[in-house]
């Protein structure tokens, strides 16, 4: 059971429990660590003519942050990353099904949760074990489901936002200069990056009742895919949607969900990543056109080869 597949009242109860552990204060405490980690990764670019921005920054940073937040030991992080990447490849190019990588993540978390029950630490797993609302705590399946959702969604979505955004800035140097002139604009610029190249392109849903959408009748219990990437390029909602414009007033978008299923976080890491990247390598250049990775639902580049540009 995962929050993204639940309706009320079960959803609100579990989200309230999770919110007791997943607090803004807990996230904010990570900011100095995120910034230090970002700087360390970027310092490794110095003196090099070729860097894979995806593999050496966008992929590493979110994995490190979510691992520290949840409490995944450093020696086990590679296993989680391998399973997450395998999930993204499912259904493409003859890749296997969800079962093996998902079971791998659940198996790892079962061991870690058992360790936290015996010896709690200052991490999200321990906080989730202690969280209580109206006398209720998360049961084992809910704990596993939420940890699974965090490690997959918490790393992959942020990775894709950083990678996609970095490519967009390289392809639109005039927009990058606009950010360089006033770095405080970066936080707002993330919303246009999310709209233009949504990290997650689809959301599966099962209809709870009959509904008609633009003349098409969809029956109760029908399984549908909501195409978030298409919605973000809908001219009925966005003027000139194929134009990448960091000064656009994006307003509401669906990249991190909507309503009950709104993402709990990701912007902090991306903001820091772009602040530090543009401060240290403001004029990095693409060395090749990045390919798109085949995926059912994710929008990302497997590799982003760049030449760093010193400040």
């Amino acid at each position: 059971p995962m929050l993204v597949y639940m309706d009320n009242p079960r959803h609100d109860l579990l989200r309230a429990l999770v919110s007791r552990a997943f607090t803004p204060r807990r996230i904010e405490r990570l900011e100095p660590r995120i910034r230090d980690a970002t700087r360390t990764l970027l310092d490794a670019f110095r003196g090099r003519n070729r860097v894979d921005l995806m593999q050496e920054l966008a992929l590493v940073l979110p994995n490190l942050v979510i691992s520290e937040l949840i409490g995944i030991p450093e020696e086990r992080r590679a296993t989680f990353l391998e399973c997450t990447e395998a999930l993204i490849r499912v259904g493409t190019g003859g890749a296997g099904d969800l079962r093996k990588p998902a079971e791998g993540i659940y198996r790892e978390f079962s061991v870690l949760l058992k360790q936290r029950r015996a010896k709690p630490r200052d991490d999200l797993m321990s906080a989730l074990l202690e969280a209580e609302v109206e006398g209720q705590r998360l049961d084992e399946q809910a704990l596993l489901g939420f940890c699974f959702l965090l490690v997959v969604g918490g790393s992959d979505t942020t990775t894709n936002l950083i990678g996609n955004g970095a490519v967009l800035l390289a392809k639109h140097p005039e927009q990058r200069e606009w950010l360089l002139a006033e770095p405080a604009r970066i936080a707002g610029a993330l919303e246009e990056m999310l709209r233009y190249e949504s990290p997650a392109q689809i959301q599966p849903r099962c209809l709870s009742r009959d509904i008609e959408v633009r003349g098409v009748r969809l029956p109760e219990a029908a399984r549908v895919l909501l195409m978030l990437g298409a919605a973000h390029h809908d001219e009925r909602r966005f003027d000139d949607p194929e134009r990448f414009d960091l000064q656009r007033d994006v307003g509401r978008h669906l990249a991190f969900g909507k309503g009950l299923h709104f993402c709990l976080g990701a912007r902090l890491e991306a903001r820091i990543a772009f602040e530090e990247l543009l401060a240290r390598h403001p004029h990095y250049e693409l060395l090749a056109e990045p390919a798109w990775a085949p995926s059912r639902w994710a929008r990302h580049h497997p590799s982003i080869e760049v030449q760093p540009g010193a400040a």
Side-chain angles (χ1 to χ4, degrees):
M2 287 187 284
L3 286 176
V4 291
Y5 298 126
M6 292 180 184
D7 295 320
N8 277 331
R10 178 76 171 157
H11 174 277
D12 278 2
L13 176 62
L14 289 184
R15 180 139 181 158
L17 283 169
V18 166
S19 296
R20 293 288 180 92
F22 202 90
T23 61
R25 180 176 296 179
R26 184 178 292 275
I27 304 303
E28 288 168 7
R29 286 209 317 256
L30 281 174
E31 179 160 356
R33 176 71 182 103
I34 296 171
R35 198 170 295 279
D36 287 346
T38 305
R39 289 171 176 172
T40 298
L41 293 171
L42 292 172
D43 285 347
F45 294 3
R46 289 176 181 167
R48 296 170 59 187
N49 293 321
R50 182 180 292 268
V51 169
D52 189 334
L53 202 60
M54 190 67 177
Q55 296 295 322
E56 299 182 57
L57 175 66
L59 191 64
V60 179
L61 180 64
N63 183 257
L64 183 153
V65 172
I66 200 65
S67 294
E68 290 204 3
L69 180 66
I70 297 173
I72 299 172
E74 190 169 347
E75 67 272 14
R76 304 307 303 159
R77 293 175 185 177
T79 300
F80 279 98
L81 184 58
E82 289 169 8
C83 291
T84 300
E85 292 297 291
L87 285 171
I88 295 170
R89 294 192 298 269
V90 165
T92 61
D97 64 15
L98 293 166
R99 186 173 300 275
K100 186 175 180 180
E103 286 180 346
I105 292 174
Y106 272 72
R107 186 166 52 250
E108 290 283 330
F109 273 127
S110 293
V111 174
L112 293 175
L113 286 168
K114 183 177 180 180
Q115 293 173 355
R116 291 303 182 278
R117 285 191 179 93
K119 190 176 181 181
R121 299 181 185 178
D122 183 20
D123 56 36
L124 189 56
M125 272 191 293
S126 300
L128 288 171
L129 285 167
E130 293 299 318
E132 185 175 311
V133 172
E134 298 178 355
Q136 294 193 47
R137 292 189 178 185
L138 294 171
D139 60 28
E140 181 73 5
Q141 290 303 307
L143 283 165
L144 289 170
F146 188 70
C147 288
F148 177 93
L149 182 63
L150 266 180
V151 78
V152 175
S155 57
D156 182 65
T157 303
T158 312
T159 288
N160 297 346
L161 168 56
I162 295 171
N164 294 349
V167 171
L168 287 169
L169 293 183
K171 289 184 173 183
H172 297 84
E174 75 291 347
Q175 309 242 15
R176 180 166 55 181
E177 290 299 322
W178 182 75
L179 289 184
L180 289 170
E182 194 172 326
R185 294 167 172 165
I186 290 173
L190 297 178
E191 307 309 313
E192 175 68 350
M193 295 176 187
L194 287 164
R195 180 201 73 84
Y196 195 83
E197 295 288 12
S198 301
Q201 292 282 301
I202 65 172
Q203 286 288 347
R205 288 290 183 266
C206 182
L207 299 185
S208 61
R209 59 183 174 85
D210 292 350
I211 190 172
E212 187 171 301
V213 180
R214 297 181 64 81
V216 178
R217 181 182 173 277
L218 302 173
E220 180 181 352
R223 299 170 71 179
V224 298
L225 285 178
L226 308 180
M227 307 301 292
L228 308 184
H232 290 160
H233 287 259
D234 188 337
E235 67 280 357
R236 294 169 297 177
R237 176 64 182 82
F238 299 102
D239 293 334
D240 194 7
E242 301 307 314
R243 185 183 79 250
F244 177 64
D245 182 4
L246 294 181
Q247 299 185 54
R248 181 193 301 272
D249 182 11
V250 176
R252 188 181 70 185
H253 62 72
L254 305 173
F256 287 150
K258 178 182 181 293
L260 295 179
H261 302 293
F262 189 78
C263 183
L264 285 167
R267 290 176 172 87
L268 175 65
E269 293 171 59
R271 173 176 61 79
I272 292 172
F274 281 109
E275 286 173 355
E276 298 298 333
L277 173 63
L278 294 179
R280 282 165 170 68
H281 305 284
H283 300 110
Y284 66 90
E285 296 181 3
L286 295 175
L287 293 175
E289 178 66 25
W292 289 107
S295 174
R296 276 185 184 175
W297 61 275
R299 177 77 167 164
H300 74 289
H301 305 286
S303 176
I304 303 172
E305 297 285 342
V306 303
Q307 180 177 2

